[in-house]
Amino acid sequence: MKIRVMLVDDQVLLRTGFRMVLAAQPDMEVVAEAGDGVEALQVLRSTEADVVLMDVRMPKLDGVEATRRICADPDPPKVLILTTFDLDEYAFSGLKAGASGFMLKDVPPGELLAAIRSVHSGDAVVAPSTTRRLLDRFAPMLPSVGKQPQHKELERLTDREREVMVLVAQGLSNGEIAARLVLSEATVKTHVGRILTKLGLRDRVQVVVLAYETGLVRAGGHG
């Protein structure tokens, strides 16, 4: 089964370039294109896509609001935000809206293809270092909460799961968490899976945002 990709960008030239790169892949096909968020929502009513490459700055309806509406549907496609700057309020807003990650528009083709495959398989694609910088910059915009996590669901987590969640929120990869806690990478992956299930979250990006919103970790990355 090929990964069905939809391209959403108001620049025709950029869509053409992406389409050429994706068309050369045996495991991908471009099933639809749109020039703005309104058109994207209309097209998705009649077209099934697995991954949507979503520009953020577009006329009529921007990529963040389009992402929010797409992700509100049952069984939505994964959304990968495309942005010009890696420290961009649009990127953070896109993640909060439900995107599975974001990439820079000038990313090398190989990295873009790897990101599409990762998102399709259920992983999030936000580089840990970027996650750290992004959240340290935008955490002050999150709701102000006390030291105690306010999210009732967090009480379902074991101490170990909470420990893993804090490290995920600090932008550590599974391998780094395994080294820090002296666990196998497979065990860390299991813990992350349980955290997602217990909290009803889709991927690591949502874990990071929730950890900051509830005060489990604070700006500066300290739990």
Side-chain angles (χ1 to χ4, degrees), residues 41-204:
L41 294 170
Q42 289 170 343
V43 172
L44 278 173
R45 288 193 193 110
S46 57
T47 307
E48 285 195 25
D50 299 309
V51 177
V52 177
L53 290 185
M54 178 76 74
D55 185 25
V56 281
R57 293 180 179 85
M58 294 183 294
K60 296 186 187 175
L61 188 69
D62 67 40
V64 173
E65 183 56 32
T67 297
R68 185 175 290 111
R69 295 187 193 182
I70 289 169
C71 294
D73 288 340
D75 196 26
K78 301 290 196 336
V79 178
L80 191 54
I81 294 275
L82 293 171
T83 181
T84 314
F85 309 103
D86 72 340
L87 277 183
D88 189 331
E89 68 272 17
Y90 286 103
F92 183 66
S93 300
L95 297 181
K96 288 198 69 177
S100 293
F102 68 91
M103 301 291 290
L104 294 178
K105 280 190 175 182
D106 59 358
V107 67
E111 285 185 33
L112 177 68
L113 296 170
I116 291 170
R117 292 185 182 107
S118 292
V119 164
H120 180 248
S121 70
D123 290 332
V125 288
V126 184
S129 60
T130 306
T131 306
R132 255 179 235 134
R133 295 206 311 278
L134 200 73
L135 285 161
D136 284 349
R137 174 167 169 182
F138 293 111
M141 294 162 48
L142 293 171
S144 177
V145 292
K147 279 198 168 187
Q148 289 307 309
Q150 302 298 307
H151 196 278
K152 218 170 45 205
E153 310 299 315
L154 292 182
E155 294 167 9
R156 297 182 187 172
L157 301 181
T158 64
D159 289 345
R160 176 62 92 188
E161 286 163 356
R162 191 177 289 224
E163 204 174 359
V164 170
M165 183 173 176
V166 168
L167 295 176
V168 168
Q170 289 174 1
L172 273 65
S173 67
N174 284 356
E176 291 169 332
I177 294 170
R180 178 81 62 90
L181 299 180
V182 198
L183 299 169
S184 73
E185 206 164 326
T187 301
V188 172
K189 199 168 181 181
T190 301
H191 283 313
V192 172
R194 286 189 185 137
I195 292 165
L196 295 177
T197 303
K198 286 182 178 181
L199 301 181
L201 303 176
R202 193 188 56 246
D203 54 39
R204 295 172 83 93

